Amino acid sequence: MRAADPVEGTVAAVDFHLGHILASGQVFRWGRDVDGWWKGIACGTAFHLRQEGDRVFYRASADRVATCAGEMAVPEFLRWYLRIDEAPGVRVPGGDRYLRRARDLLRGFRFVRQEPFECVISYILSVQAHMTLTKRRINFLARTLGREIELMGERYWTFPAPDALACLNGRDFRRHRFGWRSERVATAARYVADTLKGAPAPVGLERWREVADGLRALPGTGVGLKVGKCIDLFSLERLDAVPVDTWVLKLAREWYGVVGSDAAVCAWAEARGGKWAGYVNEYLFVYYRELNGPSLYDRAISFCASGEPSAELPFEQV
DNA sequence: GGCCAGGCGCGAC
DNA sequence: GTCGCGCATGGC
């Protein structure tokens, strides 16, 4: 049987930089292929995306996409998912040369609207693990428990629903080398599945906020300050949230002379950045890492150079 | 082969 | 409330 033809088209995207958005590390299930397309899966649909000037070209595995904000046609979905028409209004305080350079470096960046459940599990898994390992674990869950989708001769897998993931217990995850995250992932998935049992689809943003706040309040879910802020920022429309990790701790100290606990630095950054604190922090985070750690595009470039299937790829050739 | 990775949870203070 | 340590695994 022949696979369905992809849905193709373009959307206008001004002051927008697809590569910054998908290479920044906020998403785990996108990769850049040797053919130049960004390939990934979002909200149960597989996509190929490529930007030329002020247009984003797309191929999609379906013409309509189900989200927590309702069902959308693909062009509408992409504008929503990638926040194409929502350029942030970050203003640089006079004299802050770090933020000015950081913002210039990341011009066109947006926070993607991630699916809440996938975001919750992904960031629980990201704790004290390298990006490649986290991606591998997420892809393992999708391939084991998700639904298979084909797009132009490539196989993709959707992220499993809460009740599917909740079928596994801590021992199951441990057997698959998830380490001490095993019990936490199982506990979190079980809580989400139980809390949303029988809830009519789609589960909306307000309900997801309640679920996420419940996870934060429940011990043993792996959702602490940092992971909770990632969930807020990446999937719950709380663009004023600042996740504080080791890099943010370092840049706060070195560039702004702010020293303290994670919670103290978080409070400082959120007060300073106001409604755009998440963007301010992301600019500084990426810029600081560009200077002191792995570059934004290292992974994408190394993948392009290899031409081999890798853990970075969200898909397999059929 | 040691150090650390986009921290969290728990027990001592 | 805050500080320190252990936690499992794999990259570098």
Side-chain angles (χ1 to χ4, degrees):
Chain A
M1 188 177 74
R2 188 171 170 281
D5 288 330
V7 178
E8 299 182 77
T10 74
V11 291
V14 179
D15 189 17
F16 181 88
H17 196 300
L18 185 66
H20 288 350
I21 294 163
L22 296 179
S24 69
Q26 60 176 322
V27 286
F28 295 97
R29 306 195 65 212
W30 285 90
R32 188 168 187 184
D33 204 345
V34 285
D35 58 15
W37 288 83
W38 287 94
K39 300 181 176 182
I41 190 154
C43 297
T45 308
F47 292 94
H48 294 177
L49 300 177
R50 182 167 55 85
Q51 181 172 10
E52 282 183 20
D54 288 345
R55 298 206 76 80
V56 171
F57 292 73
Y58 66 81
R59 304 165 177 158
S61 62
D63 60 346
R64 298 192 67 78
V65 186
T67 78
C68 64
E71 194 179 285
M72 306 179 195
V74 168
E76 180 192 2
F77 169 76
L78 289 174
R79 283 196 294 273
W80 177 82
Y81 175 70
L82 298 168
R83 291 184 200 269
I84 288 175
D85 304 316
E86 301 172 52
V90 172
R91 297 186 63 250
V92 177
D96 189 342
R97 66 182 196 279
Y98 294 115
L99 180 55
R100 179 167 300 283
R101 295 198 58 178
R103 188 190 61 175
D104 291 348
L105 177 73
L106 269 195
R107 195 163 289 284
F109 172 82
R110 304 283 195 281
F111 287 118
V112 165
R113 283 188 168 89
Q114 297 189 30
E115 283 184 277
F117 184 61
E118 179 173 339
C119 187
V120 164
I121 299 300
S122 298
Y123 280 90
I124 291 172
L125 290 178
S126 78
V127 170
Q128 286 287 11
H130 298 270
M131 286 288 288
T132 51
L133 185 54
T134 303
K135 287 184 176 183
R136 194 184 309 156
R137 286 172 173 151
I138 293 167
N139 283 329
F140 167 76
L141 295 181
R143 293 181 52 164
T144 309
L145 299 166
R147 179 169 48 87
E148 185 179 323
I149 294 175
E150 187 176 332
L151 175 58
M152 301 185 70
E154 296 156 1
R155 293 192 297 167
Y156 296 77
W157 291 266
T158 62
F159 194 80
D163 53 356
L165 199 58
C167 290
L168 302 187
N169 60 32
R171 283 195 311 282
D172 298 324
F173 286 107
R174 208 166 266 276
R175 197 155 36 234
H176 291 285
R177 314 190 69 73
F178 279 57
W180 42 260
R181 299 161 195 76
S182 298
E183 287 73 21
R184 297 175 188 176
V185 182
T187 302
R190 168 57 56 199
Y191 174 83
V192 175
D194 288 348
T195 306
L196 295 178
K197 189 176 291 294
V203 175
L205 181 63
E206 285 310 314
R207 190 78 186 99
W208 274 116
R209 284 182 170 176
E210 292 171 9
V211 171
D213 292 342
L215 278 171
R216 234 179 300 240
L218 188 69
T221 60
V223 181
L225 179 64
K226 194 267 180 178
V227 171
K229 292 292 181 182
C230 285
I231 297 167
D232 283 341
L233 182 60
F234 300 136
S235 72
L236 298 179
E237 310 262 342
R238 289 167 170 159
L239 297 181
D240 56 347
V242 173
V244 173
D245 59 24
T246 53
W247 295 102
V248 174
L249 226 43
K250 288 179 197 169
L251 77 86
R253 185 179 67 238
E254 288 180 28
W255 288 352
Y256 298 98
V258 175
V259 180
S261 65
D262 292 9
V265 172
C266 176
W268 166 77
E270 290 187 344
R272 176 174 178 271
K275 67 180 289 197
W276 300 113
Y279 274 101
V280 169
N281 185 65
E282 183 74 14
Y283 293 157
L284 292 170
F285 166 76
V286 170
Y287 181 40
Y288 186 87
R289 248 191 7 173
E290 198 74 15
L291 296 176
N292 298 283
S295 169
L296 191 60
Y297 286 96
D298 272 359
R299 236 183 300 280
I301 290 167
S302 66
F303 163 63
C304 288
S306 83
E308 295 292 324
S310 85
E312 303 306 322
L313 276 174
F315 66 92
E316 272 184 358
Q317 304 288 335
V318 171

